[in-house]
Amino acid sequence: MSKAARERLNALRADYDPRDEDRHTGEDRDSYTDVPGGIRLQKALAAAGVASRRASEEMIAAGRVSVDGQTVRRFGARVDPETSEIRVDGMRVVTAPDKLYFALNKPRGVVSTMWDPEGRPTLADYTGQTEERIFHVGRLDTETEGLILLTNDGDLANRLTHPRYKVVKTYVAKVPGPVPHGVAREIRKGVELDDGPVEVDSFRVVDNDAPKAMVEIRLHEGRKHIVRRLMEAVGHPVSDLARTQVGPIDLNALKLGTMRTLTSREVSELYEAAGL
Ligand code: URA
């Protein structure tokens, strides 16, 4: 853990507030066992950016918060923000102060690594210095632009890239148009490539102009050059390719070549999409 994250954790532990004392909400006491030396649940929720401390207390009172599988109704319950599994409405909340999550809009011409022996531009040129070492979640071709997630959360990263967890990635591709209905049907049915069939989650033609059409492909697998190979196989080779979404995270208005921190809500949604 970096010095800054350690300091944040210590500040959380030291920050005494008499409102945190062991009160309960009028409901029967819960059977959750406090973590000795832990911090108050509402403080952990507030520090993670879920809601203000007051709003977090309301969530606790409403029975919406669980810790390690137990619904907690006391405001004073003590948790370990690094290891306790905290959920709001069943969705995981990451309270560990050293976990980092970012979205980057990768430009074309940038390799999907943090360092390149050939000296080409890399993701590290866009991430700058982060307080913990982060790594990219999967790859895009050098010539593909769009959304790449970066994190130091290995469990989440593995699940987001493994086809078993069926996290859908959305791509927009420019191809020779128009794209006939028969081709769209063929893609939806499943196209056979050299290394096996491609199962798309959805395919739609966004613009069917000649000579260039725009198509949207949603897939939960990440074989190399998969979108380019798929479109080539049906006679519509890709000239421009962008990834616009990974699971619930949308590129939205993120400018090309910039990075932003994911919100606590977005991290919870990623956890849910990855079945965590
Ligand atoms: N499919 C491709 O062909 N290229 C990418 O970069 C991503 C998916």
Side-chain angles (χ1 to χ4, degrees):
M1 185 183 293
S2 70
K3 195 163 159 253
R6 173 66 52 202
E7 277 167 11
R8 277 203 303 281
L9 188 58
N10 287 340
L12 268 181
R13 291 202 168 114
D15 174 23
Y16 174 77
D17 183 332
R19 290 174 303 168
D20 294 337
E21 278 315 316
D22 202 4
R23 295 176 285 140
H24 58 96
T25 55
E27 300 289 332
D28 284 337
R29 285 189 154 258
D30 54 67
S31 50
Y32 171 72
T33 310
D34 288 350
V35 174
I39 66 165
R40 304 292 185 190
L41 177 56
Q42 62 270 44
K43 205 190 265 190
L45 289 170
V50 173
S52 67
R53 202 182 286 199
R54 182 88 192 85
S56 298
E57 286 183 349
E58 279 165 19
M59 290 177 181
I60 295 168
R64 295 171 58 192
V65 182
S66 70
V67 184
D68 296 336
Q70 307 258 15
T71 300
V72 173
R73 293 179 179 276
R74 279 173 297 133
F75 296 147
R78 286 181 182 273
V79 300
D80 181 339
E82 288 180 274
T83 58
S84 298
E85 188 182 299
I86 300 174
R87 291 178 185 271
V88 175
D89 298 332
M91 280 172 79
R92 182 74 195 272
V93 172
V94 177
T95 50
D98 60 334
K99 287 286 187 282
L100 301 175
Y101 305 88
F102 300 101
L104 168 72
N105 190 353
K106 182 188 96 66
R108 263 176 109 135
V110 176
V111 289
S112 289
T113 55
M114 299 308 266
W115 182 76
D116 183 51
E118 294 171 40
R120 292 172 295 179
T122 68
L123 300 176
D125 296 322
Y126 295 88
T127 59
Q129 281 286 336
T130 52
E131 92 188 15
E132 307 278 339
R133 211 167 76 82
I134 53 170
F135 46 88
H136 47 94
V137 180
R139 288 169 190 262
L140 290 176
D141 297 339
T142 306
E143 290 316 306
T144 301
E145 64 180 47
L147 181 60
I148 280 211
L149 301 178
L150 297 112
T151 184
N152 57 353
D153 185 333
D155 286 348
L156 179 65
N158 287 339
R159 289 205 176 211
L160 293 177
T161 46
H162 200 295
R164 178 173 2 138
Y165 299 102
K166 295 196 185 301
V167 179
V168 175
K169 287 95 188 172
T170 305
Y171 298 89
V172 174
K174 216 180 248 185
V175 297
V179 176
H181 287 310
V183 167
R185 244 194 328 269
E186 195 184 340
I187 292 173
R188 289 188 195 111
K189 228 166 68 198
V191 171
E192 193 69 36
L193 299 179
D194 293 349
D195 52 356
V198 186
E199 189 194 321
V200 299
D201 290 270
S202 72
F203 175 83
R204 85 188 162 95
V205 180
V206 180
D207 265 324
N208 213 3
D209 296 336
K212 285 287 175 200
M214 179 98 84
V215 297
E216 183 198 76
I217 302 142
R218 302 179 77 237
L219 290 163
H220 60 266
E221 66 149 292
R223 268 178 289 167
K224 204 163 182 193
H225 308 315
I226 192 73
V227 173
R228 293 177 197 273
R229 291 194 289 137
L230 166 66
M231 294 311 298
E232 175 101 45
V234 295
H236 291 263
V238 169
S239 57
D240 295 275
L241 182 60
R243 182 158 68 190
T244 56
Q245 216 172 328
V246 174
I249 310 301
D250 202 304
L251 203 49
N252 282 332
L254 186 63
K255 282 211 191 88
L256 204 60
T258 64
M259 185 169 91
R260 70 174 178 84
T261 302
L262 298 186
T263 62
S264 158
R265 174 92 207 163
E266 285 176 318
V267 175
S268 291
E269 286 172 355
L270 275 176
Y271 263 69
E272 183 163 62
L276 280 166

